[in-house]
Amino acid sequence: QVRLVESGGDSVQPGGSLRLSCAASGLNFKIYTMNWYRQAPGKERELVASITSSGNTDYADSVKGRFTISRLNARNLVFLQMNSLNTEDTALYQCNVRAYSTDFWGRGTQVTVTP
C-alpha cells in the first residue's frame, strides 16, 4: 500500500522560509516522479514542483527561483525548500505520486504566510 506523509508546514511571516518533507512507503520510490501540489481556499489545486527519477525538476512559474524540490532516494524522501514566501503561498501542500496507474496523495501540511 502506497503511503505519503507530509511534514514541515507552519505559519511564517512574508519573506520567511520553510522546508517541507514527504515520506513515501509501499513503492519502489526511486523510479517514480514525485510531485508537490498545493491548494488554497477557494482555488483549484495546482502543481508546484516535480522531480523525476533522474533528478530533473520542473516548477510552476509562480515559484520559480524561490522553491527547490529535491529527493533522497536512500530514505524515500522528497523535499520542498521554500524561500521568500509571500501571502499567496498560503495553502495546503500535498505530496503526490502516480504509481500503478493511480494517483496517491498525502493528507497534506498547511503553510500559512501572514504578516
Side-chain angles (χ1 to χ4, degrees):
Q1 182 178 356
V2 177
R3 186 171 183 233
L4 303 173
V5 180
E6 303 92 337
S7 61
D10 204 345
S11 181
V12 296
Q13 293 184 338
S17 296
L18 284 173
R19 188 194 196 205
L20 306 184
S21 299
C22 171
S25 59
L27 75 170
N28 187 4
F29 177 80
K30 64 183 179 182
I31 71 172
Y32 290 103
T33 294
M34 299 298 298
N35 307 299
W36 282 101
Y37 282 78
R38 68 184 180 186
Q39 187 167 22
K43 295 187 177 181
E44 292 188 356
R45 180 187 285 159
E46 67 168 331
L47 178 60
V48 175
S50 298
I51 185 166
T52 68
S53 58
S54 57
N56 293 321
T57 59
D58 195 18
Y59 299 92
D61 287 342
S62 58
V63 306
K64 280 181 181 177
R66 300 189 299 122
F67 290 12
T68 303
I69 188 171
S70 60
R71 65 192 298 159
L72 182 58
N73 288 337
R75 294 185 60 190
N76 288 12
L77 293 170
V78 60
F79 306 102
L80 186 67
Q81 177 67 42
M82 306 187 296
N83 299 328
S84 301
L85 286 162
N86 58 60
T87 56
E88 294 183 352
D89 296 317
T90 294
L92 180 69
Y93 285 72
Q94 291 178 281
C95 187
N96 162 269
V97 63
R98 184 163 182 85
Y100 317 116
S101 301
T102 302
D103 275 309
F104 294 94
W105 300 89
R107 291 187 175 183
T109 187
Q110 179 67 36
V111 172
T112 302
V113 185
T114 182

